[in-house]
Amino acid sequence: MTSLSVGRRQFLAGAASLSALALAGCATTTPQRVAVDTGPVRHPVPPDVQLMYGAVYDEPYFLRAADMSLVDPIYWRQTVVDPTGEKPGTVVVDTASRFLYHVGQDNLATRYGVGIGRDGFAWAGRAHIAYKKSWPTWTPPSDMIDRQPELEQYRRGMEPGLDNPLGARTLYIHQGNVDTIYRIHGNPDERSIGQAVSSGCVRLLQQDVIHLAEAVRSGSTLVVG
């Protein structure tokens, strides 16, 4: 039994409001690499996984193939028995295990590896995915600019592109009619998957966020715990 299923009832009973945490700002920062003390651990990658994470032209940008040898195989996209107990169509983020589940039919779910908010920028709750965007503009919140003055140049927004922290797709999280500022978004850094490295948002590899965005309907329930 996963940590998600064990703690689900406690989480649902005591989860903090996303709206109350929104002042912390979005999960995105300028692109960064996760610091490591030694060389990266490499994993053998079978052909089907190489194909799943291969290079793709996603108009108007060309996305390189993800180097999946840098990602622990447990975080490769796969179909699993659903551990969440949620209705089909629901998106569930298990922050402890660094998994995102998109619940499907027949007690199955698609599981993705994710990067999550680092200590001090974690959040949890129930909300919904209000809408989705391809290659969105990124606008850092004012408090993030205060923490990182070098972001002042993007106060009115950073144009879409390969260097934009929101990546190829972004799912916008609302609670009621309120934008929580938090996002589920794309990310080119393989070493961030399975890590707590961002300012609160949930990041997937570019190929995974495209796959997720195509499958998830706007208005779908989101559970983060």
Side-chain angles (χ1 to χ4, degrees):
M1 183 175 292
T2 68
S3 59
L4 180 64
S5 56
V6 170
R8 183 171 175 268
R9 272 193 264 178
Q10 292 91 329
F11 154 64
L12 294 179
S17 164
L18 288 177
S19 298
L21 290 168
L23 293 177
C26 187
T28 49
T29 60
T30 48
Q32 58 180 311
R33 290 282 176 179
V34 177
V36 291
D37 296 326
T38 59
V41 175
R42 296 280 182 173
H43 305 276
V45 183
D48 61 324
V49 174
Q50 290 179 343
L51 181 62
M52 189 163 57
Y53 289 97
V56 61
Y57 177 67
D58 187 67
E59 189 174 0
Y61 303 104
F62 181 82
L63 292 170
R64 65 171 177 81
D67 184 353
M68 299 308 292
S69 71
L70 293 172
V71 181
D72 190 312
I74 197 173
Y75 297 120
W76 298 347
R77 186 199 320 158
Q78 54 191 286
T79 299
V80 299
V81 175
D82 172 41
T84 72
E86 297 288 343
K87 295 180 180 179
T90 303
V91 175
V92 180
V93 179
D94 179 358
T95 56
S97 298
R98 315 296 201 251
F99 292 139
L100 181 150
Y101 297 91
H102 183 215
V103 181
Q105 301 292 335
D106 302 321
N107 198 36
L108 298 175
T110 303
R111 191 181 75 190
Y112 307 83
V114 300
I116 62 167
R118 63 185 181 271
D119 289 347
F121 293 97
W123 53 271
R126 291 188 78 101
H128 68 276
I129 295 167
Y131 57 93
K132 306 171 288 185
K133 284 188 178 180
S134 299
W135 295 105
T137 298
W138 175 57
T139 304
S142 294
D143 63 305
M144 179 178 283
I145 296 174
D146 292 341
R147 296 194 304 270
Q148 299 174 260
E150 68 274 14
L151 299 179
E152 177 63 40
Q153 61 182 315
Y154 304 123
R155 185 176 292 275
R156 292 180 175 82
M158 181 181 186
E159 291 299 311
L162 296 176
D163 293 329
N164 187 302
L166 290 181
R169 300 288 187 277
T170 298
L171 284 61
Y172 292 78
I173 302 168
H174 285 200
Q175 198 169 48
N177 295 323
V178 177
D179 183 352
T180 67
I181 305 179
Y182 294 105
R183 313 289 185 237
I184 297 172
H185 65 88
N187 159 55
D189 188 354
E190 296 90 348
R191 296 189 204 182
S192 71
I193 302 303
Q195 305 296 322
V197 295
S198 69
S199 296
C201 298
V202 177
R203 52 173 64 187
L204 294 82
L205 290 176
Q206 300 280 44
Q207 289 83 350
D208 279 346
V209 80
I210 291 172
H211 186 271
L212 176 66
E214 289 177 350
V216 171
R217 293 183 180 181
S218 297
S220 297
T221 298
L222 172 71
V223 182
V224 181

